[in-house]
Amino acid sequence: MLAMEWLTGPFEVTFVQRALWGGMLVSAICALAGTWVVLRGMAFLGDAMSHGLLPGVAVAALTGGNLLVGALLSAAVMTAGVTVLGRTPRLSQDTGIGLLFVGMLSLGVIIVSRSQSFAVDLTGFLFGDVLAVREEDLALLGVALLLALAVSVLGHRAFLALAFDPRKARTLGLRPRLAHAVLLGLLALAIVASFHIVGTLLVLGLLIAPPAAALPWARSVRGVMALAALLGIAATFCGLLLSWHLSTAAGATVSALAVSLFFLSHLASGLRHRRRARLSGAHPATTD
């Protein structure tokens, strides 16, 4: 009885219920975008784009505008910049991303420093506040999830070819440059939709850790996405539960658990492979 109350008690509170729903929606969105981030090795790009939101958020906060709109505009600038610099033959993609990352982050800090009152809540921007999710936020996250799902379904074939064989994508007429730009847009959508829930420093936890944890166990890209969403939801539920009882930061606890699931997944996968190798060695195949 006490154990059941320990598990369900926090979720009887309205704002924790909203936080759980918000985290579940974010987990699903991040699973759709994060799977491609992991498959294509784009973690640095995701980190750069999440921090590149600062100028738009800072301007919106200082002018009394909508933070989500400001973040969306910054994400659009970052997406366009990465796309353009990626076509520069003498500049590596990592170099271009790094320059945009530093430039946008510096611009954001400059904008914040111009305010005598420092009206922009940098702590909220960096770490989010999952316990402050409102019903309007849930509605926006629902729309973002539907949009991310539509992009993922329509672009699945092109994204798949782009991830494993870009030259074949061009041969098949799948327009890899356009597919890459759309994929950047999907990544930007996931980051913008998630940053006010878990913050820009922690969004990568849900964006990368669950898909990376799902990778050894799933046999298809769609399987990775589905399992990643379930792992993200599990991290959200357990993170909120632990943060309630241990009085820790909710967003950080959720992200830390997501990363912990990654390490546990790969540890279990390694043990499974070792066991199979031992069994294979103990029972060698025979031929007639």
Side-chain angles (χ1 to χ4, degrees), residues 118-138:
F118 286 86
V120 178
D121 185 2
L122 287 178
T123 302
F125 172 77
L126 293 173
F127 302 108
D129 190 359
V130 68
L131 296 178
V133 175
R134 301 167 299 175
E135 291 184 3
E136 308 92 273
D137 297 325
L138 294 178

Side-chain angles (χ1 to χ4, degrees), residues 37-278:
V37 171
V38 171
L39 290 176
R40 296 197 62 203
M42 296 164 56
F44 177 54
L45 174 60
D47 187 33
M49 290 191 69
S50 64
H51 286 80
L53 302 184
L54 181 56
V57 172
V59 170
L62 294 175
T63 59
N66 188 296
L67 298 184
L68 199 60
V69 173
L72 193 60
L73 291 174
S74 277
V77 171
M78 283 291 295
T79 301
V82 170
T83 302
V84 171
L85 290 177
R87 298 176 182 176
T88 305
R90 295 186 178 181
L91 190 68
S92 70
Q93 188 177 32
D94 281 350
T95 302
I97 292 170
L99 291 171
L100 281 170
F101 174 25
V102 174
M104 291 291 281
L105 189 59
S106 300
L107 178 60
V109 173
I110 290 170
I111 293 171
V112 171
S113 68
R114 291 289 298 170
S115 169
Q116 295 180 355
S117 61
F118 286 86
V120 178
D121 185 2
L122 287 178
T123 302
F125 172 77
L126 293 173
F127 302 108
D129 190 359
V130 68
L131 296 178
V133 175
R134 301 167 299 175
E135 291 184 3
E136 308 92 273
D137 297 325
L138 294 178
L140 287 173
L141 286 172
V143 172
L145 176 58
L146 291 176
L147 184 56
L149 189 59
V151 172
S152 298
V153 171
L154 294 175
H156 182 80
R157 186 164 173 257
F159 295 162
L160 196 62
L162 188 65
F164 295 104
D165 194 346
R167 288 178 294 181
K168 188 175 181 180
R170 188 176 293 104
T171 304
L172 295 174
L174 295 175
R175 303 178 67 181
R177 286 187 175 182
L178 177 60
H180 181 68
V182 174
L183 186 56
L184 290 179
L186 178 61
L187 176 58
L189 174 66
I191 292 172
V192 170
S194 308
F195 90 93
H196 67 297
I197 304 295
V198 291
T200 58
L201 284 180
L202 305 177
V203 69
L204 282 182
L206 289 178
L207 191 67
I208 296 176
L215 208 55
W217 307 97
R219 296 185 177 182
S220 67
V221 173
R222 291 188 178 92
V224 173
M225 290 178 176
L227 183 54
L230 291 176
L231 290 173
I233 291 170
T236 299
F237 178 85
C238 295
L240 290 173
L241 185 65
L242 289 175
S243 71
W244 176 273
H245 290 293
L246 301 177
S247 300
T248 57
T253 307
V254 169
S255 292
L257 279 180
V259 174
S260 298
L261 287 176
F262 161 75
F263 287 110
L264 288 173
S265 169
H266 280 262
L267 177 62
S269 177
L271 292 174
R272 181 184 63 168
H273 285 303
R274 289 180 184 178
R275 182 172 180 274
R276 286 181 175 178
R278 285 199 301 268

